[in-house]
Amino acid sequence: MKSRTLILSVALFLTLATNGAFFKHVLEVYPWTLHTAPMIISLGVVLMGAIVILLTLFSSRYLLKPFLITVLLLSSLVTYFMNSYDIIVDTHMIENILQTNIHESSDLLSIKQVLYFLILGVIPSIVVYRVKIAKTTFKSTVIESLQNILVALGVMAILIFSFSKFYTSFFREHKPLRYYTNPTFYLYTIGQYVHQSFSHKMSGLQQLGMDAKVNDSTHRKLVVLVVGEAVRWDHFSLNGYTRETNPLLKKEDIINFTEFTSCGTETAVSVPCMFSSLGRADYDKDVAEHTENVLDVLKHAGTNILWRDNNSDSKGVALRVAYEDYKLPANNTVCEDGECRDEGMLVGLQEYINAHPKGNIVIVLHQMGNHGPAYYKRYPKEYEKFTPVCQTNQLEQCSQAEITNAYDNTILYTDTFISKVIGMLKQNDETFATAMFYLSDHGESLGENGLYLHGFPYNIAPEAQKHVPAVMWFGKNYTINKTLLRERSKTSYSQDFLFHTMLGLSDVNTSVYKPELDIVHGIH
């Protein structure tokens, strides 16, 4: 078989078999009618032309088959996740994939995913592997490749100009539709990610707040920051949700923030962003990795820092402070059926506090929280208040009510966890000025408009993935005007405020501190 024939065959297969999500979203914007049908069909031909050009760039006799097989295998997996969860593979999603551990991957594995991989990936790859490509000279290969590209470009140009009004609308007004093209968009994204990874803007580590000092106060500070996982604001009963998901927190003297937004829609972005001084508008992964964060500044001030993690990891935030992995049964004594519970992070915490008789203490507890899609695994059985629940990681097999029930049960367990954190702080009220700040890293989609989980590009992500719950609590020796803080709690805040608020809560003064970004400035 000529390489041209093989390329056209694979391109046609990819266009028809792996772009269901793309055409589904196209039809939502441009419903199928006698008028739009030719334009939508032309869109498929244009997409196939783009795939032909892309595959032709790797049409060397020895490179073509390995490249086609790789694309087929990857495209089968991308198709599964786009069809099942409506995700988009952008640079942030690639970052998520690379930082996903085995435990998280196992939550996503399903028979349906294996079938997608076999039918759309493995079987076509075997066919490609067994095809014998006709031998040609280097000159003939180059000429044939140029012909492929020119013909594809010509067909694409004719169609685009023939339906110019349609394509003007498509490219200008509906840019997100292109994010679903398979494999063109994810291959473009991989190239973009590789370029970003190797074109480092910085090297070494830029220090921050070397002049940081703790202000004089009567009591040492003991501050616990709880970083939640995938919790959406509108499923906290504290925020008016009709279900009682916060039965314990409502009994505490808390300050509940109703308008808090995340820095990203995935942990790999939100966590390093919220601890950095950059803010969402200026956040850059490379700059953040090479610049100290708020934990470093607190450490410069002599604060004792401990990070306990029951999630994937700290995403680089805790590299220079004490870090303990609580996904491991060796550390976490509260584990069952391979799932280590968040409350296990509280075991032995008092011993750590007692072992540090000098200086302020800041403890970060990174929850597993509402990590999906296996929400039913995230809480002990006694918290299964809302039933029936979705008991599979294939959310498309469950009703939205079953998904929501499992998700809300997990919030019920988080309510208990946060309440236990407050209980531990109350035990230290005599010797410390205690405080707790709970903030989820991002939200979650539960099937609204066909969207599941999180990680959607921020500019087009639904509010459910960006609007997060936030709660503060203060002990009896922590001097703060709660009346004023409750008034402020109705103000719009973002995770840009965390860096400076943590400095404020810890009474740390430094040249990098910005009082206008400190939620508690001037009231304690």
Side-chain angles (χ1 to χ4, degrees):
M1 182 183 290
K2 286 187 176 183
S3 60
R4 172 186 294 167
T5 307
L6 182 59
I7 288 171
L8 287 172
S9 300
V10 172
L12 179 61
F13 174 80
L14 289 170
T15 303
L16 297 177
T18 70
N19 279 280
F22 170 64
F23 287 110
K24 171 194 167 191
H25 286 285
V26 168
L27 290 172
E28 289 172 352
V29 177
Y30 304 102
W32 184 273
T33 65
L34 287 175
H35 174 68
T36 61
M39 303 172 194
I40 295 169
I41 293 171
S42 79
L43 195 57
V45 177
V46 169
L47 174 59
M48 181 178 169
I51 297 173
V52 166
I53 292 171
L54 184 64
L55 300 182
T56 300
L57 295 176
F58 296 87
S59 60
S60 164
R61 183 165 179 265
Y62 297 104
L63 186 61
L64 180 59
K65 286 168 69 170
F67 180 68
L68 292 179
I69 290 170
T70 301
V71 169
L72 285 166
L73 294 175
L74 287 175
S75 296
S76 69
L77 294 174
V78 170
T79 302
Y80 167 74
F81 284 106
M82 286 201 298
N83 287 353
S84 300
Y85 302 114
D86 207 31
I87 67 154
I88 288 172
V89 183
D90 61 357
T91 52
H92 295 317
M93 185 58 69
I94 290 177
E95 182 75 14
N96 271 340
I97 293 167
L98 294 177
Q99 294 192 18
T100 297
N101 57 36
I102 295 175
H103 180 72
E104 291 174 320
S105 298
S106 64
D107 276 349
L108 293 168
L109 188 63
S110 67
I111 294 175
K112 184 177 178 182
Q113 181 182 355
V114 173
L115 290 175
Y116 265 78
F117 187 64
L118 289 174
I119 296 171
L120 298 182
V122 174
I123 293 175
S125 295
I126 293 173
V127 173
V128 169
Y129 176 76
R130 298 188 64 176
V131 167
K132 291 183 179 180
I133 300 176
K135 293 182 179 180
T136 57
T137 63
F138 175 75
K139 181 180 178 181
S140 297
T141 300
V142 172
I143 292 173
E144 186 176 287
S145 297
L146 288 173
Q147 288 174 343
N148 285 354
I149 292 172
L150 289 173
V151 170
L153 286 173
V155 172
M156 292 168 68
I158 291 170
L159 290 172
I160 290 172
F161 281 115
S162 298
F163 301 107
S164 58
K165 289 184 179 180
F166 169 77
Y167 281 98
T168 298
S169 166
F170 177 80
F171 287 118
R172 290 187 178 180
E173 298 175 24
H174 303 289
K175 182 179 179 181
L177 291 176
R178 285 176 279 166
Y179 300 160
Y180 290 95
T181 56
N182 189 4
T184 51
F185 186 71
Y186 82 75
L187 288 175
Y188 162 77
T189 299
I190 290 173
Q192 189 180 26
Y193 183 84
V194 170
H195 173 73
Q196 291 174 358
S197 299
F198 287 96
S199 58
H200 294 298
K201 301 179 181 69
M202 300 180 65
S203 60
L205 182 68
Q206 180 180 338
Q207 293 182 317
L208 283 183
M210 295 301 293
D211 59 345
K213 292 182 180 179
V214 178
N215 297 322
D216 293 333
S217 59
T218 306
H219 293 90
R220 295 164 61 203
K221 298 290 190 297
L222 171 57
V223 180
V224 176
L225 172 63
V226 179
V227 179
E229 166 65 34
V231 183
R232 47 193 283 173
W233 165 88
D234 60 350
H235 280 244
F236 258 38
S237 56
L238 293 173
N239 295 318
Y241 189 43
T242 53
R243 284 179 165 177
E244 184 58 87
T245 53
N246 304 120
L248 298 179
L249 281 179
K250 75 175 185 179
K251 298 176 183 178
E252 301 289 350
D253 186 19
I254 60 165
I255 290 88
N256 179 52
F257 294 83
T258 58
E259 299 293 334
F260 228 103
T261 55
S262 65
C263 185
T265 61
E266 59 272 280
T267 304
V269 173
S270 281
V271 169
C273 180
M274 72 166 81
F275 281 88
S276 80
S277 61
L278 299 173
R280 195 185 79 80
D282 297 318
Y283 178 74
D284 180 278
K285 174 178 174 285
D286 189 50
V287 175
E289 286 179 350
H290 292 87
T291 306
E292 290 186 331
N293 58 62
V294 67
L295 298 186
D296 297 299
V297 178
L298 291 168
K299 187 177 179 181
H300 295 328
T303 303
N304 302 290
I305 311 287
L306 173 65
W307 182 296
R308 285 188 170 181
D309 206 303
N310 195 37
N311 204 295
S312 50
D313 55 49
S314 74
K315 307 305 176 188
V317 174
L319 290 177
R320 295 169 292 277
V321 299
Y323 175 89
E324 295 174 354
D325 186 351
Y326 270 71
K327 298 183 302 302
L328 304 175
N331 293 334
N332 195 327
T333 59
V334 188
C335 299
E336 55 182 349
D337 300 325
E339 189 79 13
C340 289
R341 303 299 180 197
D342 288 334
E343 59 189 308
M345 292 189 286
L346 302 179
V347 178
L349 210 51
Q350 188 60 53
E351 285 77 0
Y352 173 84
I353 295 169
N354 296 341
H356 293 81
K358 294 182 180 180
N360 289 345
I361 298 175
V362 169
I363 298 169
V364 182
L365 303 175
H366 189 193
Q367 287 186 272
M368 175 58 78
N370 283 52
H371 197 289
Y375 305 120
Y376 70 100
K377 292 183 178 181
R378 305 295 174 241
Y379 54 85
K381 192 68 176 177
E382 60 266 28
Y383 288 87
E384 198 163 275
K385 175 182 177 182
F386 308 109
T387 57
V389 300
C390 179
Q391 298 198 28
T392 175
N393 58 4
Q394 293 181 253
L395 299 181
E396 72 280 3
Q397 294 184 1
C398 299
S399 67
Q400 191 163 354
E402 290 171 331
I403 296 169
T404 301
N405 287 340
Y407 184 84
D408 288 347
N409 289 332
T410 303
I411 294 181
L412 200 61
Y413 178 56
T414 286
D415 178 74
T416 296
F417 174 71
I418 300 173
S419 179
K420 288 185 176 182
V421 171
I422 292 173
M424 183 273 295
L425 289 172
K426 287 179 179 178
Q427 295 173 7
N428 291 274
D429 258 351
E430 299 302 325
T431 51
F432 289 92
T434 58
M436 188 278 302
F437 188 8
Y438 167 83
L439 180 61
S440 183
D441 60 351
H442 53 76
E444 189 88 335
S445 288
L446 298 174
E448 302 90 350
N449 299 313
L451 293 180
Y452 295 94
L453 304 179
H454 52 267
F456 224 62
Y458 198 91
N459 60 331
I460 60 172
E463 183 185 14
Q465 295 187 23
K466 298 184 287 189
H467 195 168
V468 295
V471 174
M472 284 186 182
W473 175 91
F474 298 92
K476 65 180 183 181
N477 286 324
Y478 199 105
T479 304
I480 191 162
N481 189 325
K482 293 182 182 178
T483 301
L484 287 178
L485 187 55
R486 283 196 172 89
E487 291 177 6
R488 291 184 182 182
S489 69
K490 299 175 180 61
T491 305
S492 294
Y493 292 108
S494 71
Q495 290 175 347
D496 292 0
F497 285 77
L498 180 68
F499 182 100
H500 305 279
T501 299
M502 287 301 295
L503 295 178
L505 289 172
S506 303
D507 271 342
V508 170
N509 188 28
T510 169
S511 57
V512 298
Y513 169 70
K514 295 179 180 179
E516 67 273 17
L517 293 177
D518 175 10
I519 296 172
V520 299
H521 173 67
I523 58 174
H524 75 103

